Amino acid sequence: MAKKSGTKKNTAPDAPKGFVILKDVASMFRLPPTLKSENAQKTTNVKVVTTYDIQKKGFAETTAKTMSLTKETLAKTKKFFVAPYDVIISAAGTIGKTAIIPETLKGNIFPITTLLVIRFHEDKEESAIALLLYLKSASGQKAIKKMITGKSIKILNIGTMAKMAVPGLTADVKKKALSTFKKIQALHQKIEDTKTAIAGLETGYWT
C-alpha cells in the first residue's frame, strides 16, 4: 500500500497572472467587536474613524466618534491603532467604501469595528494608492461583491478579504497608480474650487 503524503494541501486560491494574494503582500486586522467604551472613573478618549469619514476623493481625514477606555485596556489594544497609509474598507452595512489614512490624521485612532484595515510594510504610500484605486475600480468592486456573505446582514469577512487577488505591486503598476491618483486629486480640487466660485456668485449677487 502506498504511503499517504504528509504534505498539506494548499487551500489558498491561486492568483491569476499578474496578480498576487492580498495576505502575501500586506497584513490585515480589525478592531475586536467586543471593544466598547468603558464606564470607569478614569478613562481616556480615543478617536475612532468610521465609514462616515471616508471621502470620495479617497481619504479619511476626520474622525466622527470617540471611545472612552481605561489605561489598562489601551495598553492591550494599542496594536489596533491605524497608521498613515493604512487602507480601510467598510465590511458591513455599505460594503466596499475604501480610503487611505492620511499623514494629516494625527493622534491615536481606532478603526470602527466594521472597518477592515490593510497595512503595507514596504513602499506604503505607493502600495496603498495602487490598492485603493483597484478596490474602487469596477473590477475591484465586482470582486468584493463576490466575497460578501450573509442574507439579512451583509458582511465582508477579513479571512475572505485576505485571500483576494489584487494586481501585483510592480514598479509599473505603482507608477500608473500614482499618475492616476494625482489626476483624480486635481479633478476633486477643481470640483471644490467650482463649488466655492458658485457660492461666491450666489452670495454676492445682490450687494
Side-chain angles (χ1 to χ4, degrees):
M1 183 181 291
K3 291 183 179 180
K4 292 183 179 180
S5 173
T7 304
K8 291 183 179 180
K9 186 177 180 181
N10 183 10
T11 57
D14 292 327
K17 186 176 180 180
F19 282 61
V20 294
I21 300 303
L22 185 56
K23 67 178 181 179
D24 293 338
V25 294
S27 58
M28 295 183 63
F29 67 89
R30 67 181 299 176
L31 195 69
T34 54
L35 186 65
K36 302 183 184 300
S37 286
E38 296 176 295
N39 186 13
Q41 194 169 16
K42 290 185 179 181
T43 58
T44 300
N45 283 337
V46 181
K47 298 175 183 177
V48 179
V49 64
T50 74
T51 306
Y52 296 104
D53 299 308
I54 293 177
Q55 301 170 358
K56 288 184 178 180
K57 64 179 181 178
F59 290 106
E61 296 179 323
T62 60
T63 50
K65 301 180 76 173
T66 60
M67 187 181 294
S68 299
L69 299 173
T70 62
K71 184 179 179 180
E72 292 74 19
T73 301
L74 275 175
K76 295 176 184 177
T77 56
K78 62 182 181 181
K79 62 183 178 181
F80 296 108
F81 289 145
V82 294
Y85 301 110
D86 282 348
V87 179
I88 56 175
I89 179 168
S90 57
T94 305
I95 295 176
K97 290 188 69 176
T98 313
I100 291 172
I101 299 295
E103 290 182 325
T104 54
L105 199 58
K106 304 293 185 181
N108 295 328
I109 301 166
F110 280 130
I112 199 168
T113 56
T114 55
L115 290 176
L116 306 183
V117 181
I118 305 163
R119 177 172 295 169
F120 294 96
H121 299 284
E122 295 181 1
D123 301 324
K124 294 185 68 173
E125 181 178 5
E126 295 88 347
S127 298
I129 289 172
L131 179 64
L132 174 80
L133 290 181
Y134 177 68
L135 294 178
K136 288 171 71 71
S137 72
S139 295
Q141 288 292 303
K142 183 178 179 181
I144 290 169
K145 285 180 180 179
K146 289 182 178 180
M147 295 187 291
I148 296 173
T149 60
K151 293 182 178 180
S152 58
I153 301 176
K154 304 295 184 182
I155 296 173
L156 178 59
N157 184 276
I158 189 169
T160 305
M161 182 77 190
K163 297 175 184 177
M164 182 182 188
V166 298
L169 297 170
T170 63
D172 287 342
V173 167
K174 287 186 280 191
K175 182 179 179 181
K176 178 182 178 181
L178 283 171
S179 175
T180 302
F181 195 65
K182 286 179 180 178
K183 292 176 183 177
I184 291 171
Q185 297 310 302
L187 289 171
H188 277 295
Q189 187 58 52
K190 282 187 178 180
I191 291 171
E192 291 304 314
D193 292 343
T194 301
K195 287 180 179 178
T196 301
I198 291 171
L201 289 170
E202 290 175 342
T203 303
Y205 167 68
W206 198 258
T207 57

